[in-house]
């Protein structure tokens, strides 16, 4: 009589542990996809950012920002954490908002940081710094939400 009870108890334990192992594996798969998604977004942003920084040598800054934002919006965020996706969306919005400054300088050309140096010394310096600060602050939140 004791052996069937031990067998039954063993089967119950195995039955209880089986689904948990599957759930843990699924959670790991979800977590891995999330990490991979964030990594891919950062890699693409780095590529698009480099293009942005130099495209302004031949194209208006506003057009460059439009292209950069469009490229970022086209990325697949479906496996990224919602907080990260939301933060990145706000970062893109900060760049799009920066066009209120870049629209005032349609003929200005150069590497992005060189253009920024010119605008920073212009009559629009205060607004420039405020809008640039929004870009930097939203980027900080993106980094924080990435858990990296």
């Amino acid at each position: 009589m004791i052996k069937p009870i031990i067998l039954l108890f063993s089967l119950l334990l195995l039955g209880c542990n089986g689904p948990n192992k599957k759930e843990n594996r699924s959670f790991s798969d979800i977590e891995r996809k999330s990490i991979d998604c964030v990594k891919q977004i950062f890699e693409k942003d780095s590529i698009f950012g480099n293009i942005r920084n130099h495209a302004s040598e031949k194209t208006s800054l506003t057009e460059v920002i439009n292209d950069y934002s469009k490229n970022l919006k086209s990325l697949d965020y479906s496996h990224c954490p919602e907080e990260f996706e939301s933060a990145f969306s706000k970062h893109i919005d900060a760049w799009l908002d920066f066009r209120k400054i870049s629209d005032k300088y349609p003929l200005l050309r150069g590497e992005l940081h060189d253009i920024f140096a010119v605008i920073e010394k212009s009559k629009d310096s205060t607004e420039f710094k405020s809008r640039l600060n929004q870009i930097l602050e939203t980027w900080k939140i993106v980094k924080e939400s990435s858990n990296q």
Side-chain angles (χ1 to χ4, degrees):
M1 184 72 173
I2 294 176
K3 287 185 181 181
I5 292 175
I6 293 173
L7 179 61
L8 180 62
F9 185 69
S10 297
L11 289 174
L12 285 172
L13 284 176
L14 286 173
C16 290
N17 287 336
N20 288 341
K21 287 181 182 177
K22 187 175 182 180
E23 286 176 21
N24 289 341
R25 187 179 69 233
S26 295
F27 179 73
S28 295
D29 289 345
I30 291 168
E31 189 174 53
R32 180 187 44 77
K33 285 181 179 179
S34 176
I35 291 167
D36 289 347
C37 180
V38 168
K39 181 180 174 187
Q40 288 176 354
I41 298 296
F42 278 135
E43 287 172 359
K44 293 287 189 179
D45 177 70
S46 180
I47 292 166
F48 296 149
N50 189 48
I51 292 168
R52 175 204 62 216
N53 291 353
H54 294 284
S56 55
E57 294 168 357
K58 297 182 179 181
T59 308
S60 75
L61 184 53
T62 294
E63 189 175 334
V64 169
I65 291 170
N66 287 338
D67 291 344
Y68 173 67
S69 300
K70 180 181 172 185
N71 286 333
L72 290 177
K73 285 182 177 185
S74 74
L75 297 177
D76 181 6
Y77 296 84
S78 61
H79 294 291
C80 290
E82 287 182 33
E83 181 182 354
F84 176 80
E85 183 179 2
S86 175
F88 222 105
S89 179
K90 290 175 183 171
H91 180 63
I92 294 168
D93 289 344
W95 271 106
L96 291 171
D97 195 48
F98 190 84
R99 295 176 304 177
K100 292 175 182 165
I101 288 290
S102 63
D103 284 348
K104 298 177 182 181
Y105 299 89
L107 302 178
L108 195 55
R109 298 290 183 271
E111 197 275 339
L112 180 80
H113 299 92
D114 294 337
I115 291 175
F116 281 4
V118 170
I119 299 173
E120 185 176 21
K121 296 174 186 169
S122 74
K123 64 181 174 32
D124 297 304
S125 174
T126 303
E127 184 181 2
F128 165 79
K129 289 176 185 174
S130 174
R131 295 194 189 284
L132 180 60
N133 189 53
Q134 276 301 109
I135 290 171
L136 298 175
E137 285 298 313
T138 56
W139 183 248
K140 180 180 171 188
I141 295 168
V142 166
K143 294 293 279 183
E144 290 169 356
S145 69
S146 74
N147 297 320
Q148 293 190 4

